[in-house]
Amino acid sequence: MADLLAGREADTSAIAEGSASEQLLLVLDGFEGPLDMLLALGRDQKVDLTRISILELADQYLRFVAEARKVRLELAADYLVMAAWLAYLKSRLLLPEPEGEEPSGEDMAAALAFQLQRLEAMKGVAEKLFARPRLGIEIHPRGAPEDLDLRRKSVYEVTLFDLLRAYGQQRARKESGVLHIAPVRLYSMEEAVRRLSSLLGRMPDWATLASFLPGGEGGGGLLTRSALAAHFAATLELAKAGRVELRQEGAFAPLYVRGRAAGSQDGDISEEAQSND
Amino acid sequence: MIKEVTDAQEAEARIGKLRLLEALLFASSDPLDEETLAGRIGPEVGLLLEELRAHYAPRGVTLVCTGGGWAFRTAVDLAPELRREEEVSRKLSRAAIETLAIIAYHQPVTRGEIESIRGVATSKGTLDLLMEHGWIRPGKRRETPGRPLTWITTDHFLDHFGLESLRDLPSVDELRAAGLLDSRPVLLGLGATADDSALDTGDET
Amino acid sequence: MIKEVTDAQEAEARIGKLRLLEALLFASSDPLDEETLAGRIGPEVGLLLEELRAHYAPRGVTLVCTGGGWAFRTAVDLAPELRREEEVSRKLSRAAIETLAIIAYHQPVTRGEIESIRGVATSKGTLDLLMEHGWIRPGKRRETPGRPLTWITTDHFLDHFGLESLRDLPSVDELRAAGLLDSRPVLLGLGATADDSALDTGDET
């Protein structure tokens, strides 16, 4: 991964090539979420986690996510949340502290360092735990127990797990009997394309993608996120069809959309949506 | 001099083999025949088996040779003291476990309600069995027509399942979150809003 | 003269008890707790257990104490020679292994806390798998808003990993001294995707 990150400066087009993107996807699939990825990046600094440079780490992470988004647009929301948080942390560390109640940049950096240390510690002990000789693998109980039932007051062998599983299965049967199909409340790309197409006519000038999103759906939950993803994909689709133009100032900057008059031929404006430059 | 060193090494190797033999016999679910053991221990296994047998002869556990195989067994003369409870543990029927679970989660609950939740008739034997084991007992009568009897769980139920109180039973949503309740096919599961949180990232599978 | 006879009788009774204790422990594959054993053997069971432990210490099968129970187990140093391949279907994911470690070191711990430590949502099939292995179980509810369920490890967890008690977890003192066993979420909005309190809605108990 270090190689991958080092190489990015040289030639961005190379990264977009098959092997490099596949490698990046492989790397991404190996992580258990953004914190796990940060920890892996932190280890690359080859210093004790207590002396790690959070600023450098934040930069590494942001670069990594930017690259990842080029090859995998549907990068999990967690990674983007972490990126936004790190970008904020960076600004807090670099700019003078504002007045107010908010924790200082130093505190935020310390909190992140603590989380990384804690996760590292847990990974370490998990390894130690599973390196121990385990019952049934290296250590063995009596192979032919003579059942005396000394301890069990009940002759029936039933555990809490059995009980809970029985209840869960019974509930599941009941639920699947009553509601056959759970309502899928996700935005599809087709839906978003239709919606954008109808809205674009009424929006002659540049407008942020966010302003096209359906409002008032309540909560920043799955539905809102699916709407964002679907609309984003829809703009790319429409841009490819030559029906809209896209503009973005830089990585993570708001994405602007403008309808393109049918038949207009001033062809080369359609910028690459994910361009960082 | 050299001979002595060799003796010490030999003795150590012998003890190592004796220990391994002991462990193999202990961990095996079936008697092991001499040939199999010789494959792990070496040709001297016959002598070592005799040595082990002699060591265990006066103890509470003895090494016996039955039908061509060797195995540890509790000493025959202790049998009367060991066989105090004759009943062998049995598996509780699925119907009984389900009924017990429904009573635990829905108590106080009438037999009619249990049947409507399970969707099948409850045999009288099931409730009797659960009561015999001290897991459930009759509660108050329901003040509805027919004044049906309700069922509730006992302290022994909590004891058996290692629960401090009924409140510590996982809720339906917690069961779902723990993976013990999964009623829908994976794709359709996306529509659920109740456990949105569990779906936040798919990168953990 | 009379004294001597008494001594001989006492000695015989003691040997009888030792043999019975040995047989009881040998017969069971699960650990037996001291209280149960005292019920069969008498109050001196503690001394007899220590005597048996010492007798078996150098042998291929040893008497160990785990999670308050006693059991015979093959000797630790024979592990390489007794290694049995783990069934592929029983192999645990990295997520499950980490989750188990977090529960062991931070218990009692809520699902939300586990997620904030790992920085990722717990997928379905992790907790129920660990529970199916008999390593974890629900503990008491946390007396905080939403009364979330906590998770704790079982005695079988200790037995499986050859630990006498939770104090014997590898590096546990170091981690505590370093303050790394603090399970509070530290960064707002980071990782903790599952709101524990949200899981409590629809609680039917």
Side-chain angles (χ1 to χ4, degrees), chain B residues 121-169:
Chain B
T122 305
S123 75
K124 174 115 183 13
T126 305
L127 290 172
D128 285 348
L129 181 78
L130 295 176
M131 193 157 75
E132 236 168 74
H133 283 283
W135 286 327
I136 62 166
R137 63 185 180 81
K140 282 188 185 164
R141 287 189 180 277
R142 181 70 50 81
E143 291 306 332
T144 52
R147 301 187 59 243
L149 200 64
T150 63
W151 293 92
I152 57 178
T153 55
T154 62
D155 286 346
H156 176 65
F157 165 84
L158 295 177
D159 211 38
H160 180 95
F161 292 101
L163 296 165
E164 205 152 310
S165 81
L166 286 173
R167 291 187 351 169
D168 297 339
L169 278 173

Side-chain angles (χ1 to χ4, degrees), chain A residues 127-171:
Chain A
E127 218 165 88
K128 278 187 197 166
L129 204 54
F130 278 83
R132 291 179 68 86
R134 290 160 59 192
L135 191 67
I137 297 167
E138 288 104 348
I139 305 284
H140 302 279
R142 171 85 188 272
E146 299 163 48
D147 210 336
L148 300 182
D149 257 324
L150 245 190
R151 194 168 52 157
R152 281 189 291 272
K153 293 184 190 92
S154 159
V155 288
Y156 283 105
E157 211 174 326
V158 49
T159 65
L160 184 60
F161 177 72
D162 297 331
L163 189 77
L164 298 181
R165 186 170 54 180
Y167 190 66
Q169 284 172 348
Q170 127 75 33
R171 287 288 298 219

Side-chain angles (χ1 to χ4, degrees), chain A residues 31-42 57 61 78-79 82 111-120 123, chain C residues 114-120 186-187 190-191:
Chain A
F31 289 122
E32 302 264 343
L35 206 56
D36 191 35
M37 182 166 131
L38 262 181
L39 187 57
L41 290 172
L57 191 60
Y61 183 92
D78 294 34
Y79 287 87
M82 177 65 94
L112 178 60
F114 171 76
Q115 274 217 326
L116 292 176
Q117 282 170 46
R118 187 170 64 178
L119 183 61
E120 168 104 321
K123 283 174 184 290
Chain C
I114 295 169
E115 297 185 345
S116 108
I117 291 171
R118 297 194 57 231
V120 74
V186 281
L187 292 182
L190 261 194

Side-chain angles (χ1 to χ4, degrees), chain A residues 138 140-144, chain B residues 16-42 45 48-49 52 56 63 70-72, chain C residues 26 59-61 73-75 78-84:
Chain A
E138 288 104 348
H140 302 279
R142 171 85 188 272
Chain B
K17 286 182 174 182
L18 209 57
R19 293 180 71 231
L20 181 58
L21 179 60
E22 205 173 16
L24 285 171
L25 289 166
F26 170 82
S28 171
S29 56
D30 298 308
L32 294 171
D33 62 65
E34 224 166 297
E35 206 184 327
T36 310
L37 289 168
R40 286 297 295 272
I41 307 286
V45 74
L48 295 174
L49 280 167
L52 268 190
Y56 279 96
L63 184 61
W70 292 82
F72 279 117
Chain C
F26 222 86
R59 306 198 65 92
V61 174
R73 298 284 182 250
T74 55
L78 292 175
E81 290 179 86
L82 295 176
R83 196 176 155 73
R84 206 171 277 171

